[in-house]
Amino acid sequence: MIAPMAWAQTNIMDLTLPAIHVSAPAHDFLDGVAMAGDRIVVVGEHGLIAYSDDDGRTWRQAAVPVSVLLTDVAFANAQDGWAVGHMGVILHTSDGGMTWQKQIDGRNVDALSLAAAQAAQAANSALPTVELAVRRAELFQSIGPDRPFLAVLAQSPQQAIVVGAYRMAIRTNDGGKNWSDISLDVLDRLSHNLYDISSVASGIYVSAETGIVFYSTDGGATFPQVTAPTDATLFGIAPTADGSVFAYGVAGAAYLSHDHGATWQSINVGTTSNITSGLLLKSGALVLVSETGGVYISNDNGLTFRSLPEVMPMLLTALAQMPNGDVVVTGSSGVKILSKSDFTKTQ
C-alpha cells in the first residue's frame, strides 16, 4: 500500500476496461503481495495481477476486469482471496488468483455509505460518527467514485473487511455476494484515511492518518480509537513474536505497544524515510521496508533493528514470506526475492 502522494490517476473508464497485457508483469509497479498457499500473487498499476508457482522465477498475468491501480491483496486460503484498489474496487478470486471478478466499486460503495448514514440518523444513533455522516455521504456521491480502498483483511472465505481513504470501510459475511458499510463503526469523527487493517492475536487493528490507531476486540463489529502514538501518519501495524504490536509510518516513525495500544514506546528503526510495510517472519524476526529501498530487521521483538547492507533501488511497498522461508518484496520496479539467510543473522 503506497502513500497518497503516489496514487496513480484513474478515471471512470478504468472500471470497465480490463487490465492490459504486459510482457514482464514482475517488473511493473506493484503495490501488494500475498501468498495463496504456495503461490505468490502480486497486484499493481492498471489492474495488473500476476502469480508465480515456482518461487518467483516465472510469472503469469491473471485475467482482471478493471484497469485501476490495485493497492492490496489478501487470501483466506489457497483459493479464496480479494484484491482492492482505486475507485472503490473490490475483486474476488476463487481459483488462487488466476481469474478475478469485480464484486463492487466506488459507485456501489457510495450508495451503501449514504444508506447506512441515513439509517443511523433516523435511528438517532449515539455513535460519534453519525453527526456529519449524511453530509459526508452526500458529498461523496456528488464527487464520484474517486476514493481508493487501501487494505483488505481476509478473515475467512466468507468474511472480509476493506478500508480506505476518508474512513471508507465495508465488510462482507457471505464471500462478497453482499457488502455492508461499517464506516460509522470506525469511531473517527473526522474521516481520516485508513491505511492498513491487521489481525493480531484476538484483535483487529486499523492504522490511520495523523497517528490514529483503532482496535477492535469484537471481530470487527466496532473499532474504538486507542491512544494515538503521535501525530505521525501510520501506514501499518505488524505483530511481534512476543504478542506485542508494532506500528510504523511516515518519516521513519515507529512505535511498540505491549498493552494492545493503550501505551506506546517510540522505536528508532534507523531511517527517516516512510516505512511502508512490515511482516513477522516464521522465525520470529520482524522485517520493515521503506519507500527509499531500505530493509530493516529486528530479532528482539521490535526493540532494535539492523539494516540489510544491500540497497534496494526502488520504492518498496509490501512483503510476504514463501513456504521455503524466502521473502517476496514488491515495489516500483516489480518483485524482488530476498533469501531467508538475510534474516537469520544475529544483530
Side-chain angles (χ1 to χ4, degrees), residues 214-330:
F214 303 95
Y215 177 50
S216 174
T217 58
D218 54 13
T222 58
F223 286 90
Q225 181 178 332
V226 296
T227 304
T230 70
D231 60 356
T233 288
L234 298 175
F235 293 141
I237 284 181
T240 62
D242 66 351
S244 300
V245 292
F246 191 93
Y248 53 86
V250 69
Y255 308 92
L256 185 62
S257 176
H258 302 292
D259 52 12
H260 310 295
T263 60
W264 297 84
Q265 172 186 357
S266 180
I267 300 296
N268 180 12
V269 174
T271 181
T272 57
S273 297
N274 292 347
I275 301 172
T276 52
S277 189
L279 179 67
L280 176 63
L281 302 185
K282 298 170 187 175
S283 66
L286 176 63
V287 182
L288 307 174
V289 294
S290 79
E291 70 173 11
T292 53
V295 181
Y296 307 90
I297 305 101
S298 173
N299 293 111
D300 57 8
N301 300 308
L303 288 172
T304 61
F305 286 81
R306 66 178 175 87
S307 62
L308 285 183
E310 299 83 6
V311 176
M312 305 288 286
M314 66 175 180
L315 160 67
L316 302 180
T317 56
L319 295 154
Q321 188 171 28
M322 295 186 289
N324 67 7
D326 291 347
V327 174
V328 188
V329 186
T330 56

Side-chain angles (χ1 to χ4, degrees), residues 327-340:
V327 174
V328 188
V329 186
T330 56
S332 56
S333 298
V335 175
K336 299 286 185 182
I337 306 295
L338 303 181
S339 171
K340 62 182 178 182

Side-chain angles (χ1 to χ4, degrees), residues 7 13 85 117 133 153 159 169 186 213 218 232 251 285:
W7 289 350
M13 290 184 63
L153 174 65
Q159 297 175 303
V186 180
V213 174
D218 54 13

Side-chain angles (χ1 to χ4, degrees), residues 106-121 129-147 165-168 181 183-184 189 191:
R107 296 167 294 189
N108 315 113
V109 173
D110 286 345
L112 290 174
S113 178
L114 180 58
Q118 290 172 334
Q121 187 180 62
T129 46
V130 169
E131 182 180 357
L132 301 176
V134 173
R135 277 192 286 167
R136 169 182 176 270
E138 289 174 342
L139 175 62
F140 284 175
Q141 279 208 320
S142 68
I143 293 172
D146 67 338
R147 292 162 303 286
Y166 302 106
R167 208 183 72 234
M168 287 201 307
D181 183 279
S183 61
L184 297 177
R189 295 175 183 269
S191 298

Side-chain angles (χ1 to χ4, degrees), residues 7-251:
W7 289 350
Q9 295 296 315
T10 54
N11 60 62
I12 197 71
M13 290 184 63
D14 294 321
L15 293 173
T16 58
L17 293 175
I20 62 171
H21 179 76
V22 296
S23 59
H27 297 289
D28 277 34
F29 183 99
L30 297 171
D31 205 17
V33 58
M35 298 303 301
D38 294 338
R39 173 177 291 165
I40 310 168
V41 180
V42 294
V43 303
E45 64 180 351
H46 304 306
L48 173 62
I49 300 181
Y51 59 94
S52 173
D53 290 319
D54 56 8
D55 298 332
R57 290 185 291 274
T58 61
W59 294 84
R60 295 180 180 179
Q61 186 173 351
V64 178
V66 296
S67 296
V68 302
L69 172 63
L70 300 174
T71 55
D72 196 22
V73 59
F75 281 83
N77 53 37
Q79 299 297 319
D80 301 292
W82 285 272
V84 302
H86 279 222
M87 303 193 76
V89 162
I90 299 179
L91 307 174
H92 182 261
T93 181
S94 56
D95 60 10
M98 293 187 294
T99 60
W100 296 79
Q101 299 77 41
K102 180 164 69 74
Q103 291 187 327
I104 198 170
D105 64 43
R107 296 167 294 189
N108 315 113
V109 173
D110 286 345
L112 290 174
S113 178
L114 180 58
Q118 290 172 334
Q121 187 180 62
N124 294 314
S125 171
L127 289 173
T129 46
V130 169
E131 182 180 357
L132 301 176
V134 173
R135 277 192 286 167
R136 169 182 176 270
E138 289 174 342
L139 175 62
F140 284 175
Q141 279 208 320
S142 68
I143 293 172
D146 67 338
R147 292 162 303 286
F149 280 126
L150 298 173
V152 53
L153 174 65
Q155 297 169 285
S156 75
Q158 298 301 312
Q159 297 175 303
I161 303 175
V162 182
V163 299
Y166 302 106
R167 208 183 72 234
M168 287 201 307
I170 66 173
R171 75 178 306 157
T172 182
N173 291 312
D174 59 9
K177 296 181 180 68
N178 296 281
W179 291 86
S180 58
D181 183 279
I182 60 167
S183 61
L184 297 177
D185 299 313
V186 180
L187 303 184
D188 168 26
R189 295 175 183 269
L190 298 180
S191 298
H192 289 92
N193 294 332
L194 309 179
Y195 286 108
D196 190 39
I197 181 167
S198 304
S199 178
V200 180
S202 59
I204 301 173
Y205 291 84
V206 172
S207 52
E209 198 175 3
T210 69
I212 299 174
V213 174
F214 303 95
Y215 177 50
S216 174
T217 58
D218 54 13
T222 58
F223 286 90
Q225 181 178 332
V226 296
T227 304
T230 70
D231 60 356
T233 288
L234 298 175
F235 293 141
I237 284 181
T240 62
D242 66 351
S244 300
V245 292
F246 191 93
Y248 53 86
V250 69

